[in-house]
């Protein structure tokens, strides 16, 4: 899952990027509204954390421009505690949720998890596929109840496919959602990671669809 943080306060920006990165997301950061708008307009983010009080272009205008352009990614806005009118303007502009400053990082993490799973149509933090289970809250993966140890990239890969269970996800889409903008992207390495992940899981849930991409779905009973 790839996220964008738009926050002009350098300390807060660093804290948000750090905490979301530690939670297993790939995070890009912008420090003003113009840069934030550009990234959100050109890169495929799974969710955005957007401060409203931003230099160059304010957060509400950034959000309005994204929504007018048809961008549908879930957006969590950061508002000042005493400014109820900010929240109203934010929701009217297309925000999905808000956190008032000052906030506890845990609350931001929980709200981002909720946004991601709602946008993927899931009601709880636990994603299941036959014997395979992935808890987005604890970052725990189990097969038939036994914990499987994954690297952070393997976890991100599996989490993205599990959020899109039953759908074919192309290699290009995976690369775009697993690496940040500065990463030297090579879609061939995805094949290697998928192979390793499949071996670790040991169950037939991660399928290669020739010429199209990958798909997580229940094991095929016939085979
Ligand atoms: Ca600000």
């Amino acid at each position: 899952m790839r996220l964008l943080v738009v926050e002009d306060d350098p300390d807060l920006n660093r804290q948000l990027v750090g905490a979301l990165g530690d939670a297993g997301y790939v995070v890009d950061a912008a420090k003003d509204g113009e840069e934030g708008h550009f990234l959100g307009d050109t890169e495929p983010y799974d969710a955005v954390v957007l401060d409203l009080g931003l230099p160059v272009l304010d957060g509400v205008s950034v959000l309005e421009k994204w929504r007018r352009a048809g961008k549908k990614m879930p957006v969590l806005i950061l508002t000042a505690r005493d400014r109820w009118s900010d929240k109203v303007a934010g929701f009217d502009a297309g925000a999905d949720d808000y956190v008032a400053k000052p906030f506890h990082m845990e609350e931001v993490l929980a709200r981002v998890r909720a946004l991601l799973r709602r946008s993927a149509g899931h009601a709880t933090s636990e994603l299941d596929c036959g014997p395979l289970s992935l808890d987005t809250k604890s970052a725990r993966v189990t097969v038939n109840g036994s914990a499987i140890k994954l690297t952070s990239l393997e976890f991100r890969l599996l989490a993205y496919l599990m959020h899109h269970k039953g759908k074919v996800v192309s290699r290009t889409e995976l690369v775009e959602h697993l690496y940040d903008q500065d990463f030297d992207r090579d879609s061939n390495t995805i094949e290697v990671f998928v192979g390793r992940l499949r071996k670790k899981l040991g169950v037939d849930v991660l399928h290669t669809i020739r010429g199209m991409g990958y798909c997580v779905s229940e094991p095929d009973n016939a085979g």
Side-chain angles (χ1 to χ4, degrees), residues 7-9 51-55 101:
E7 167 60 66
D8 58 314
D9 180 308
D51 185 30
L52 289 189
L54 291 169
K101 293 179 182 179

Side-chain angles (χ1 to χ4, degrees), residues 19 26 29 51 56 58 76 82 86 102 107 110-111 147 151 179 205 216 222:
V26 177
D51 185 30
V56 191
D58 68 272
L76 173 70
D82 49 349
D86 279 1
E107 183 177 356
R111 289 185 183 277
T151 64
Y179 299 113
V205 294
V216 159

Side-chain angles (χ1 to χ4, degrees), residues 8-178:
D8 58 314
D9 180 308
D11 290 335
L12 197 50
N13 189 303
R14 208 173 318 117
Q15 287 165 25
L16 284 162
V17 170
L20 291 164
D22 289 347
Y25 304 109
V26 177
V27 191
D28 290 337
K31 292 194 170 71
D32 66 57
E34 193 173 36
E35 186 192 8
H37 171 260
F38 175 76
L39 285 174
D41 208 36
T42 52
E43 299 288 331
Y45 294 106
D46 298 296
V48 177
V49 177
L50 175 68
D51 185 30
L52 289 189
L54 291 169
V56 191
L57 189 64
D58 68 272
V60 168
S61 302
V62 169
L63 189 48
E64 278 171 353
K65 286 175 80 151
W66 282 338
R67 296 310 192 214
R68 261 203 308 275
K71 298 279 164 194
K72 294 192 179 71
M73 69 285 200
V75 174
L76 173 70
I77 54 171
L78 305 178
T79 67
R81 179 161 297 279
D82 49 349
R83 297 282 296 275
W84 65 266
S85 55
D86 279 1
K87 291 167 203 160
V88 174
F91 279 116
D92 282 345
D96 297 275
D97 200 0
Y98 79 93
V99 176
K101 293 179 182 179
F103 50 74
H104 289 283
M105 201 53 79
E106 280 304 320
E107 183 177 356
V108 172
L109 294 175
R111 289 185 183 277
V112 166
R113 280 196 299 272
L115 285 182
L116 288 171
R117 109 192 145 222
R118 279 206 299 269
S119 75
H122 302 286
T124 68
S125 67
E126 184 141 325
L127 310 178
D128 292 303
C129 182
L132 172 66
S133 173
L134 180 146
D135 192 328
T136 57
K137 189 172 169 220
S138 59
R140 198 176 135 88
V141 174
T142 59
V143 170
N144 291 317
S146 309
I148 306 286
K149 225 173 137 46
L150 300 179
T151 64
S152 64
L153 188 77
E154 288 164 352
F155 178 81
R156 292 206 297 267
L157 177 64
L158 185 62
Y160 191 84
L161 290 168
M162 291 283 280
H163 271 93
H164 299 86
K165 183 176 134 182
K167 292 182 198 131
V168 179
V169 178
S170 72
R171 261 197 233 178
T172 315
E173 182 176 344
L174 280 174
V175 169
E176 282 176 345
H177 290 263
L178 297 182

